[in-house]
Amino acid sequence: MKIGVDVGGTFTDLILSDTHGGRAIVHKVPSTPKDPSEAVIKGVFEICEMANIHPGQIEQFFHGTTVATNIVLEHNGASVGMLTTEGFRDVLHIARHKRPYNFSLYQDLPWQKYPLVRRRNRLVVSERITAEGEVLLPLDEEKTREHVRKLKEAKVDAIAVCFLFSFKNPQHENRVKEIILEEYPEVFLSISNEVLPQYREYERFSTVALNAFIGPKTSNYIKKLKKNLEDMGVKSELHLMQSNGGIATSEMAAEKPINLLLSGPVAGLIGGIKAAQNAGFSNVITLDIGGTSADIGVAPGGEMRMRHLLDTRIGQYNAMIPMVDIDTIGAGGGSIAYVDEGGIFRVGPQSAGADPGPACYNRGGTLPTSTDANVLLGRIRGENRLAGSMELKPELSEKVYKEHIAEKLNINVLDAAAGALKIMTHNMVNAIEMNSVRKGYDPREFTLVAAGGAGPLFACDIAEELNIPYVVVPPFPGITAAIGLLGTDITYEQVSTVWSSFKIGNIEKLRQEFARLEEQAISSLKADGISEDKIILKRVCDCRYEGQGYELRVEAPTGEINEEWAEEVVNSFHAVHEREYASKFEDQEVMAINIRLIGIGIVTNESSLVPQPQTLEFNPKKVKKAPVYFWVNDQLEEVETSFYHRSDIPNGTTLTGPAIIQQKDSTTVIPPLCKALFDEYGNIVIDMQDKNASKNLKNVAMVTK
């Protein structure tokens, strides 16, 4: 018995998989932004009642959360103090002299306008470690103790410790940690050699400070949630999704919350890849649209890509941690439509969120949203209760669109609603192109997986714009991220900066360093209760040509580290470099700047169930029909459309659009000319080729004319 819980901006999604009884149950409850744990506890209690089990029967608990991410984006983290090497007080302020807008004379630099650590709380001590790891200047312990007392008087919630070259020799940082624990034991600690023992000065400072900034609130949330689960009888360990696509125990996540920054979006990508593979597709683009944001991931061959470590940011803050390559934009069911001061029609990134939500929720929302637009165009029916319980009020949607959009632009309400959806679609198309075309991938060779509560509403329109041939809608798209949580394992990534070539004389150094990292990874996994036969170790090298200023991540083979091993890594780097930059330089020396050891502890298995809505009887003649507005030949037209409930359609059925598929957690729009197959796994596989062909023929005719 295992459960996956994903907390979103509007809804908290849950799935209970009972591998013993051969059943799976899904559930959604409104999120509680002020305290996300309230929705989690409420959802767990209700889904256990639905399954007629006691919470104590849950054997594994997996959780994806946006708590850490929201703290960063909303700038409401802890009061942080920092201790650093004398002369390096302003590293966080100076950064890399990069400006968001190169030619603007007046601009706010986010890391300066919203500093992670205020200057008065950045204190320096006399100490110095050389680039070779030797002690050049001993630590001034008395000054250190004095500064810790100052920070205690200032009542900081967290202290970050980041010394120069501590990744080569952590001696001074470790001693400072001991002093802090003596003087201020209750403070949250973020020590750079524990959080990120890796070179690149500014990025390391920023990551360690960011870990301190989100640390107190995130760790308190994790501890509170764990206690509340224990109080209701849940005995299993709480596991949390990390940014690298693996999970961590609650203890490890509370110590290093920096690894939770992409917790929710990564689970959606994992669930989307699994759905596409079940449907027979390998190249995958996932589109997970919730109430507040849209998460876009590209997985060629079904493999998650990792971001370059210089591109791993949350907001405008560098977080140099292993992070799956996912883009997030402000486009969701709650995205607010408005006319700006210049008279331009815009949608998002502001969102109505869970409270008050879209106007049609009848919870006090007074602004038009994309959900209200779908209601006005007939795609979401007033009688169709969202999440199975939320009654909609279409008249409220009409009122806010008339007041805020239609009257200001002198257009009718339907055109205002259709325009809002067009703008939303355009924003998401641009984001997908940024994450695919501009990185060398052709969307026409991929399948689009529509996830999240709003993903299936927009997926076909987006696929048409990008000429994507197929759209896959998982059995329960609204809980795809929660399903993805059930298919992950405990993963820790150990890193060491080696700055070494692959010459024969350096191979022994690489062998010893990998052995040290392997020992650390195995020790961490065993501490989490993972037996040795459940541990998998993977090697990675961050390589570059000698003289380059950036690295590429290269998978290294297992087995003995010798000359053949080194040659294989070098050849892999040449291939990766050519793939990324269309060039390679085989006569140049290849350097390993960092080496990484990924330790994976297997806690999941393939028997995890995915719910499949199906029925034994299906009579298409008894289907309800109602008018829905679609774009036909670039004109907004009312089309008589069939409405189905997904649980009424057996697997193996083929439908032709226009059709709307309703279910508890989402609504799927199948436009005219599109064919949909309900496969054996419960996926809706939508064939877009006839639709795309008609569009392309029309465009050719227009050009010819």
Side-chain angles (χ1 to χ4, degrees), residues 463-481:
E464 181 183 352
E465 291 287 330
L466 292 167
N467 279 323
I468 294 175
Y470 293 97
V471 171
V472 173
V473 182
F476 283 87
I479 51 97
T480 300

CSV table of all heavy atoms in Angstrom, one decimal, residues 463-481:
chain,number,residue,atom,x,y,z
A,463,ALA,N,-0.5,21.4,-29.8
A,463,ALA,CA,0.0,20.4,-30.8
A,463,ALA,C,-0.2,20.9,-32.2
A,463,ALA,O,0.7,20.7,-33.1
A,463,ALA,CB,-0.6,19.1,-30.5
A,464,GLU,N,-1.3,21.5,-32.4
A,464,GLU,CA,-1.6,22.0,-33.8
A,464,GLU,C,-0.6,23.1,-34.2
A,464,GLU,O,-0.1,23.1,-35.3
A,464,GLU,CB,-3.1,22.5,-33.9
A,464,GLU,CG,-3.5,23.0,-35.2
A,464,GLU,CD,-4.9,23.6,-35.3
A,464,GLU,OE1,-5.6,23.5,-34.2
A,464,GLU,OE2,-5.2,24.2,-36.3
A,465,GLU,N,-0.4,24.0,-33.3
A,465,GLU,CA,0.6,25.1,-33.5
A,465,GLU,C,2.0,24.6,-33.9
A,465,GLU,O,2.7,25.1,-34.7
A,465,GLU,CB,0.6,26.1,-32.4
A,465,GLU,CG,-0.6,26.9,-32.1
A,465,GLU,CD,-0.8,28.0,-33.2
A,465,GLU,OE1,0.2,28.5,-33.7
A,465,GLU,OE2,-2.0,28.3,-33.5
A,466,LEU,N,2.4,23.5,-33.2
A,466,LEU,CA,3.7,23.0,-33.3
A,466,LEU,C,3.8,21.8,-34.3
A,466,LEU,O,4.9,21.2,-34.4
A,466,LEU,CB,4.3,22.6,-31.9
A,466,LEU,CG,4.5,23.7,-30.9
A,466,LEU,CD1,4.7,23.2,-29.5
A,466,LEU,CD2,5.7,24.5,-31.4
A,467,ASN,N,2.7,21.4,-34.9
A,467,ASN,CA,2.7,20.2,-35.8
A,467,ASN,C,3.1,19.0,-35.1
A,467,ASN,O,3.8,18.1,-35.7
A,467,ASN,CB,3.6,20.5,-37.0
A,467,ASN,CG,2.9,21.3,-38.1
A,467,ASN,OD1,1.7,21.2,-38.3
A,467,ASN,ND2,3.6,22.2,-38.7
A,468,ILE,N,2.8,18.8,-33.8
A,468,ILE,CA,3.1,17.6,-33.1
A,468,ILE,C,2.0,16.6,-33.5
A,468,ILE,O,0.8,16.8,-33.4
A,468,ILE,CB,3.0,17.9,-31.6
A,468,ILE,CG1,4.2,18.8,-31.2
A,468,ILE,CG2,3.1,16.6,-30.8
A,468,ILE,CD1,4.2,19.2,-29.7
A,469,PRO,N,2.4,15.4,-33.9
A,469,PRO,CA,1.5,14.4,-34.5
A,469,PRO,C,0.5,13.7,-33.5
A,469,PRO,O,-0.6,13.4,-33.8
A,469,PRO,CB,2.4,13.3,-35.1
A,469,PRO,CG,3.7,13.4,-34.4
A,469,PRO,CD,3.8,14.9,-34.0
A,470,TYR,N,1.0,13.5,-32.2
A,470,TYR,CA,0.1,12.8,-31.3
A,470,TYR,C,0.1,13.5,-29.9
A,470,TYR,O,1.1,14.1,-29.5
A,470,TYR,CB,0.6,11.4,-31.0
A,470,TYR,CG,0.4,10.5,-32.3
A,470,TYR,CD1,1.5,10.3,-33.1
A,470,TYR,CD2,-0.8,9.9,-32.6
A,470,TYR,CE1,1.4,9.5,-34.2
A,470,TYR,CE2,-0.9,9.1,-33.7
A,470,TYR,CZ,0.1,8.9,-34.5
A,470,TYR,OH,0.0,8.1,-35.6
A,471,VAL,N,-1.1,13.5,-29.3
A,471,VAL,CA,-1.2,13.9,-27.9
A,471,VAL,C,-1.6,12.8,-27.0
A,471,VAL,O,-2.5,12.0,-27.4
A,471,VAL,CB,-2.3,15.1,-27.8
A,471,VAL,CG1,-2.6,15.4,-26.3
A,471,VAL,CG2,-1.8,16.3,-28.5
A,472,VAL,N,-1.0,12.6,-25.9
A,472,VAL,CA,-1.4,11.5,-25.0
A,472,VAL,C,-1.9,12.1,-23.7
A,472,VAL,O,-1.2,13.0,-23.1
A,472,VAL,CB,-0.2,10.6,-24.6
A,472,VAL,CG1,-0.5,9.6,-23.5
A,472,VAL,CG2,0.3,9.8,-25.9
A,473,VAL,N,-3.1,11.8,-23.3
A,473,VAL,CA,-3.7,12.2,-22.1
A,473,VAL,C,-3.8,11.0,-21.1
A,473,VAL,O,-4.5,10.0,-21.4
A,473,VAL,CB,-5.1,12.8,-22.3
A,473,VAL,CG1,-5.7,13.3,-21.0
A,473,VAL,CG2,-5.1,13.9,-23.3
A,474,PRO,N,-3.0,11.0,-20.0
A,474,PRO,CA,-3.0,9.9,-19.1
A,474,PRO,C,-4.4,9.6,-18.5
A,474,PRO,O,-5.3,10.4,-18.6
A,474,PRO,CB,-2.0,10.3,-18.0
A,474,PRO,CG,-1.2,11.4,-18.6
A,474,PRO,CD,-2.1,12.1,-19.6
A,475,PRO,N,-4.5,8.4,-17.9
A,475,PRO,CA,-5.9,8.1,-17.4
A,475,PRO,C,-6.5,9.1,-16.4
A,475,PRO,O,-7.6,9.4,-16.5
A,475,PRO,CB,-5.6,6.8,-16.6
A,475,PRO,CG,-4.4,6.2,-17.3
A,475,PRO,CD,-3.6,7.4,-17.7
A,476,PHE,N,-5.6,9.6,-15.5
A,476,PHE,CA,-6.0,10.7,-14.6
A,476,PHE,C,-5.0,11.8,-14.7
A,476,PHE,O,-4.1,11.9,-13.9
A,476,PHE,CB,-6.2,10.2,-13.2
A,476,PHE,CG,-7.4,9.4,-12.9
A,476,PHE,CD1,-7.4,8.1,-13.2
A,476,PHE,CD2,-8.6,10.0,-12.5
A,476,PHE,CE1,-8.6,7.3,-13.0
A,476,PHE,CE2,-9.7,9.3,-12.3
A,476,PHE,CZ,-9.7,7.9,-12.5
A,477,PRO,N,-5.1,12.7,-15.7
A,477,PRO,CA,-4.1,13.7,-16.0
A,477,PRO,C,-3.8,14.6,-14.8
A,477,PRO,O,-2.7,15.1,-14.6
A,477,PRO,CB,-4.6,14.5,-17.2
A,477,PRO,CG,-6.1,14.2,-17.3
A,477,PRO,CD,-6.2,12.8,-16.7
A,478,GLY,N,-4.9,14.9,-14.1
A,478,GLY,CA,-4.8,15.9,-13.0
A,478,GLY,C,-3.9,15.4,-11.8
A,478,GLY,O,-3.4,16.2,-11.0
A,479,ILE,N,-3.6,14.1,-11.8
A,479,ILE,CA,-2.8,13.6,-10.7
A,479,ILE,C,-1.5,12.9,-11.3
A,479,ILE,O,-1.0,12.0,-10.7
A,479,ILE,CB,-3.6,12.6,-9.8
A,479,ILE,CG1,-4.3,11.5,-10.5
A,479,ILE,CG2,-4.5,13.4,-8.9
A,479,ILE,CD1,-3.6,10.2,-10.6
A,480,THR,N,-1.1,13.3,-12.5
A,480,THR,CA,0.1,12.7,-13.1
A,480,THR,C,1.3,12.8,-12.3
A,480,THR,O,2.1,11.9,-12.2
A,480,THR,CB,0.3,13.4,-14.5
A,480,THR,OG1,-0.8,13.2,-15.3
A,480,THR,CG2,1.5,12.8,-15.2
A,481,ALA,N,1.5,14.0,-11.6
A,481,ALA,CA,2.6,14.2,-10.8
A,481,ALA,C,2.6,13.3,-9.6
A,481,ALA,O,3.6,12.7,-9.2
A,481,ALA,CB,2.7,15.7,-10.3
